[in-house]
Amino acid sequence: MTFEWVVKIVTENWPMFIRGAGVTLYISIIGTILGSIIGLLVGVIRTIPMPERGSKRVLLKVVNGILSAYIEFFRGTPMIVQAMVIFYGSALALGVDMDRTAAAIFIVSINTGAYMSEIVRGGIVSIDKGQFEAAQAIGMNHFQTMIYVVLPQVIRNILPATGNEFVINIKDTSVLNVISVSELFFATKTIAGNNFRYFESFFVACVLYFIMTFTVTRILRYIERKLEGPDTFMMVPGNQMQVETAEDALRRIDKYDGNK
């Protein structure tokens, strides 16, 4: 590899590199957001308490079975295979001509949703059961408990895992070149095919992937620190009902006498 070739490739093809990186970020951001929403919905549904009997129990078992099959399928198969099946399979079997970018977002979203649903479910299970009991004691149903009590804590706790999924999606969009989505890997492959300098071209792509993932990681860590609060925060032990001590009473009386 020569530095001159790297500079030449970047100089001649930087619009294509930037466009490919932009498509990669676009698909990753939208796919991660939609996948997180899917994961939240699936995670909440899968934690609904099972009724002891009746039609609701049967319905909930059927729904849980379908959601479990969805999770196991998309976690147990590679995204590159899912892309081929969904994009080309829908065209051959159903006659649906999907837009490539829309298909890429759909594939990333449902794949991310399968992983996020288990992350959300684990976050919900980790919440102390006393909070569920307290919410039920004041008349909240399952969904009200989730929205007002549990999910605000879960979202904060799963933020690192969500950021990790975002970083993984930035890298995994490279497999979408099999359906000719013009993301960064596809753009780099096109450039390398024109100049036959594969090592130098993919070295530039490697640097761009690193810049994107490194930047996203630092932004997410900054958000995590903001949610955690100041480092100087200290918990002061004490009861909810504060009782005035004798020293505090004398100090208050002296202050009152001095103001007279």
Side-chain angles (χ1 to χ4, degrees), residues 122-169:
I124 293 173
V125 172
S126 67
I127 301 297
D128 186 78
K129 292 183 179 179
Q131 298 193 33
F132 290 90
E133 296 171 357
Q136 292 173 0
I138 61 175
M140 286 186 177
N141 57 31
H142 179 75
F143 286 100
Q144 289 174 327
T145 303
M146 288 290 131
I147 294 171
Y148 297 110
V149 179
V150 178
L151 287 184
Q153 302 175 68
V154 170
I155 291 173
R156 177 179 174 180
N157 293 338
I158 68 173
L159 184 61
T162 306
N164 187 52
E165 282 296 315
F166 185 18
V167 172
I168 290 173
N169 285 340

Side-chain angles (χ1 to χ4, degrees), residues 3-228:
F3 181 74
E4 290 79 9
W5 265 106
V6 173
V7 174
K8 179 179 174 62
I9 289 171
V10 173
T11 303
E12 294 179 352
N13 302 282
W14 67 266
M16 189 174 291
F17 280 119
I18 297 300
R19 187 162 52 250
V23 173
T24 292
L25 281 177
Y26 174 73
I27 294 173
S28 302
I29 292 172
I30 302 300
T32 303
I33 293 173
L34 294 178
S36 298
I37 295 173
I38 294 171
L40 280 173
L41 293 175
V42 174
V44 170
I45 293 174
R46 294 192 73 206
T47 55
I48 296 177
M50 185 68 68
E52 294 184 359
R53 61 180 67 87
S55 58
K56 289 184 178 180
R57 179 182 176 87
V58 176
L59 177 62
L60 190 57
K61 278 194 170 184
V62 172
V63 172
N64 281 335
I66 295 173
L67 294 179
S68 296
Y70 155 69
I71 292 170
E72 294 300 328
F73 177 80
F74 283 97
R75 290 179 68 195
T77 55
M79 187 187 291
I80 189 171
V81 177
Q82 297 166 16
M84 297 286 284
V85 170
I86 291 173
F87 183 76
Y88 294 113
S90 61
L92 293 173
L94 304 175
V96 178
D97 187 15
M98 301 178 68
D99 177 76
R100 297 181 190 278
T101 303
I105 293 173
F106 177 73
I107 292 161
V108 173
S109 298
I110 58 178
N111 185 276
T112 302
Y115 286 93
M116 287 302 301
S117 62
E118 288 299 284
I119 294 172
V120 170
R121 190 176 68 86
I124 293 173
V125 172
S126 67
I127 301 297
D128 186 78
K129 292 183 179 179
Q131 298 193 33
F132 290 90
E133 296 171 357
Q136 292 173 0
I138 61 175
M140 286 186 177
N141 57 31
H142 179 75
F143 286 100
Q144 289 174 327
T145 303
M146 288 290 131
I147 294 171
Y148 297 110
V149 179
V150 178
L151 287 184
Q153 302 175 68
V154 170
I155 291 173
R156 177 179 174 180
N157 293 338
I158 68 173
L159 184 61
T162 306
N164 187 52
E165 282 296 315
F166 185 18
V167 172
I168 290 173
N169 285 340
I170 291 176
K171 295 181 292 183
D172 282 357
T173 52
S174 59
V175 305
L176 298 173
N177 76 94
V178 297
I179 60 173
S180 301
V181 177
S182 42
E183 38 73 50
L184 181 56
F185 183 87
F186 184 86
T188 306
K189 188 170 67 172
T190 303
I191 293 169
N194 291 332
N195 57 31
F196 298 102
R197 306 293 296 193
Y198 285 88
F199 189 84
E200 290 84 353
S201 300
F202 280 98
F203 176 79
V204 176
C206 181
V207 172
L208 290 174
Y209 275 116
F210 176 77
I211 291 173
M212 288 189 290
T213 56
F214 183 82
T215 304
V216 167
T217 301
R218 289 298 174 270
I219 293 173
L220 291 172
R221 286 184 181 176
Y222 174 78
I223 296 173
E224 290 173 26
R225 287 196 299 269
K226 286 296 182 181
L227 291 177
E228 289 173 358

